[in-house]
Amino acid sequence: MDPDSPNSDNLRSWGKFVATCLIGGVVVTLGATALLASSSSPYHGDSQLPLGISFRRRKKKPVRVYMDGCFDMMHYGHCNALRQARALGDQLVVGVVSDAEIIVNKGPPVTPLHERMIMVKAVKWVDEVIPDAPYAITEDFMKKLFDEYNIDYIIHGDDPCVLPDGTDAYALAKKAGRYKQIKRTEGVSSTDIVGRMLLCVRERSINESHNHSSLQRQFSHGHGQKFDDGGSGSGTRVSHFLPTSRRIVQFSNGKGPGQDARIVYIDGAFDLFHAGHVEILRLAKEHGDFLFVGIHTDQTVSAKRGVHRPIMNLHERSLSVLACRYVDEVIIGAPWEVSRDMITTFNISLVVHGTVAENDDFQKESGNPYDVPISMGIFKVLDSPLDITTTTIIKRIVANHEAYQKRNEKKAASEKRYYEGKSFVTGD
């Protein structure tokens, strides 16, 4: 273009205009329409602006945060950690540690990698998952996080993560100034949950005829000894989970179904929330627009499953279910029988039940809990994608009792030190 031409003058004028109006990354458009509409200007419309200039607001780069973990026996504490991590950025990338790394650093995992991947992907605050993440963040892996995954910050809880050689697993991230800390969720850990099951097994073997119904209530309400070694040194910590209304709000979606939504209902204990639960909830959600999940009371579960169940109390189970991305709402303490009044109250279109469940012979019972929806023609049995139940998880613990006993003995000491020496940490 001729530098002395009128069009060249227009270009220079336009450049000065843009330069003076570029404020905070936003091109101010005041008067631009008239300027562009001028017959002397060759630029008519956004697509013909010089140098790629656009009136659209420039997109701010999303802050990407990374959190890793074993996520074995995944529980509401894990979910709350992921929720807090997500709040520190715009996108949360989660690394799931491999089975081999867990075995070397902690002992055998209860749930294999593919099940742990299902669990983590289902958490509604997670945007991306990296399988087979290393237990310790090496310099090479940290570089990969920064360069390939565009991670801005690495997140971990306020509880120490010490490697077998005694070093801090997050020392490199801290040194790089790319580390942020969140508050650990009180009252639960995978070690604690395994310990609850080991304690149940031990008590049952001591005296099968004794009524152990108080055991679950101790877990639920924090009664009994703070640390019970039972002569085995297992260091099982009785749960001191204190449910608050704010925590339930934090986990809730905060919105109801739309006016014409097809509402699906599924109920159960959802004890030791696992991959089988996640997959049947995913399938249930595919049958409608809004998924209601009924969670049975501790008393109902004990009556139907035995005095040692549930392992997790009602509020713990409710939070685990609420964290699942396929769930829209839960009924905390749902009735065993699905009544007509309940169907009407919640405008339920379909009631579903999986083929793999603790109570899979419900239709043979007198007083079938689904009699009403069956009579209304709104009941459907779904083929469960995974053959896993809460009993499956408990059997894994029992089958490897000695290995998990040793694993818990190693972990119990560090957890005890954490609780005895902990101080208040802001945020949750």
Side-chain angles (χ1 to χ4, degrees):
M1 180 181 290
D2 183 355
D4 297 322
S5 69
N7 284 344
S8 180
D9 291 338
N10 286 338
L11 264 175
R12 282 192 290 271
S13 299
W14 173 251
K16 290 178 181 178
F17 172 79
V18 171
T20 56
C21 296
L22 189 61
I23 302 171
V26 180
V27 178
V28 180
T29 61
L30 184 64
T33 303
L35 197 154
L36 284 177
S38 169
S39 58
S40 61
S41 173
Y43 306 107
H44 302 288
D46 203 39
S47 62
Q48 301 180 52
L49 289 177
L51 305 177
I53 295 168
S54 171
F55 290 146
R56 298 183 183 89
R57 181 180 294 272
R58 292 182 183 175
K59 286 187 177 180
K60 184 181 177 183
K61 177 183 175 293
V63 175
R64 285 169 62 83
V65 297
Y66 173 81
M67 188 172 205
D68 60 14
C70 300
F71 302 103
D72 194 21
M73 298 288 297
M74 193 164 184
H75 49 71
Y76 63 91
H78 290 130
C79 297
N80 193 45
L82 295 173
R83 179 190 65 80
Q84 292 180 78
R86 180 64 167 74
L88 294 176
D90 303 304
Q91 296 171 358
L92 173 61
V93 180
V94 179
V96 182
V97 177
S98 69
D99 292 343
E101 288 270 284
I102 295 175
I103 290 170
V104 170
N105 289 279
K106 300 179 71 172
V110 178
T111 48
L113 178 63
H114 71 275
E115 291 182 20
R116 292 184 285 118
M117 287 289 291
I118 289 172
M119 296 296 294
V120 175
K121 286 179 179 179
V123 176
K124 60 187 176 184
W125 298 291
V126 174
D127 297 291
E128 188 178 337
V129 181
I130 302 173
D132 292 316
Y135 188 81
I137 296 181
T138 62
E139 194 164 348
D140 286 344
F141 185 70
M142 187 167 69
K143 187 176 187 303
K144 184 176 183 179
L145 288 177
F146 296 157
D147 295 346
E148 294 184 26
Y149 290 96
N150 299 314
I151 298 301
D152 295 290
Y153 297 101
I154 294 170
I155 317 293
H156 187 63
D158 64 303
D159 55 317
C161 185
V162 181
L163 298 173
D165 63 2
T167 59
D168 182 356
Y170 295 90
L172 289 174
K174 292 175 181 178
K175 186 178 179 180
R178 306 282 284 271
Y179 176 84
K180 287 191 176 184
Q181 181 176 282
I182 58 170
K183 184 175 182 179
R184 171 174 168 155
T185 304
E186 296 299 313
V188 70
S189 69
S190 297
T191 304
D192 164 51
I193 296 169
V194 171
R196 298 188 201 187
M197 284 182 276
L198 292 175
L199 189 57
C200 287
V201 172
R202 183 167 53 79
E203 283 209 358
R204 186 178 300 163
S205 65
I206 291 171
N207 188 354
E208 278 288 348
S209 63
H210 189 270
N211 184 349
H212 301 300
S213 61
S214 64
L215 180 62
Q216 187 275 329
R217 290 179 177 81
Q218 289 180 21
F219 290 144
S220 299
H221 305 299
H223 298 156
Q225 291 178 296
K226 184 176 181 181
F227 286 88
D228 182 304
D229 66 10
S232 67
S234 64
T236 299
R237 184 178 188 277
V238 175
S239 172
H240 283 264
F241 171 60
L242 301 175
T244 63
S245 57
R246 189 164 67 92
R247 179 72 77 226
I248 294 173
V249 169
Q250 287 171 335
F251 274 54
S252 298
N253 290 341
K255 59 182 180 181
Q259 186 173 358
D260 300 318
R262 178 175 168 81
I263 299 172
V264 179
Y265 178 77
I266 186 171
D267 61 3
F270 297 99
D271 195 16
L272 300 178
F273 196 64
H274 52 71
H277 290 138
V278 167
E279 287 296 88
I280 193 63
L281 292 173
R282 177 184 61 78
L283 198 59
K285 180 62 180 286
E286 290 177 359
H287 284 73
D289 308 304
F290 193 92
L291 182 60
F292 249 116
V293 180
I295 303 174
H296 297 145
T297 66
D298 295 341
Q299 292 75 17
T300 297
V301 177
S302 292
K304 300 295 180 180
R305 308 279 189 268
V307 294
H308 287 280
R309 305 278 286 276
I311 301 297
M312 311 291 285
N313 70 44
L314 176 60
H315 287 95
E316 292 176 311
R317 292 181 284 121
S318 297
L319 289 179
S320 291
V321 174
L322 274 172
C324 181
R325 67 173 69 251
Y326 309 118
V327 176
D328 295 293
E329 185 64 283
V330 304
I331 300 175
I332 303 174
W336 178 251
E337 295 183 0
V338 181
S339 67
R340 187 176 293 271
D341 179 68
M342 180 179 165
I343 290 170
T344 302
T345 298
F346 293 108
N347 195 27
I348 295 169
S349 304
L350 181 68
V351 177
V352 299
H353 189 81
T355 52
V356 175
E358 301 279 354
N359 183 38
D360 57 0
D361 58 349
F362 60 89
Q363 296 190 59
K364 300 175 184 176
E365 297 179 0
S366 58
N368 184 339
Y370 304 111
D371 273 341
V372 171
I374 289 172
S375 69
M376 296 173 66
I378 60 168
F379 180 76
K380 184 179 180 65
V381 175
L382 305 179
D383 289 328
S384 299
L386 292 177
D387 187 11
I388 304 173
T389 66
T390 300
T391 299
T392 305
I393 306 298
I394 294 174
K395 284 181 177 178
R396 291 177 185 176
I397 299 292
V398 174
N400 294 282
H401 180 275
E402 290 187 7
Y404 291 121
Q405 189 75 51
K406 290 178 181 177
R407 168 177 154 173
N408 270 28
E409 286 172 5
K410 289 173 62 178
K411 185 69 175 173
S414 63
E415 293 217 351
K416 186 173 183 178
R417 285 194 299 271
Y418 168 77
Y419 278 104
E420 289 178 345
K422 75 168 189 170
S423 57
F424 177 75
V425 177
T426 59
D428 65 344

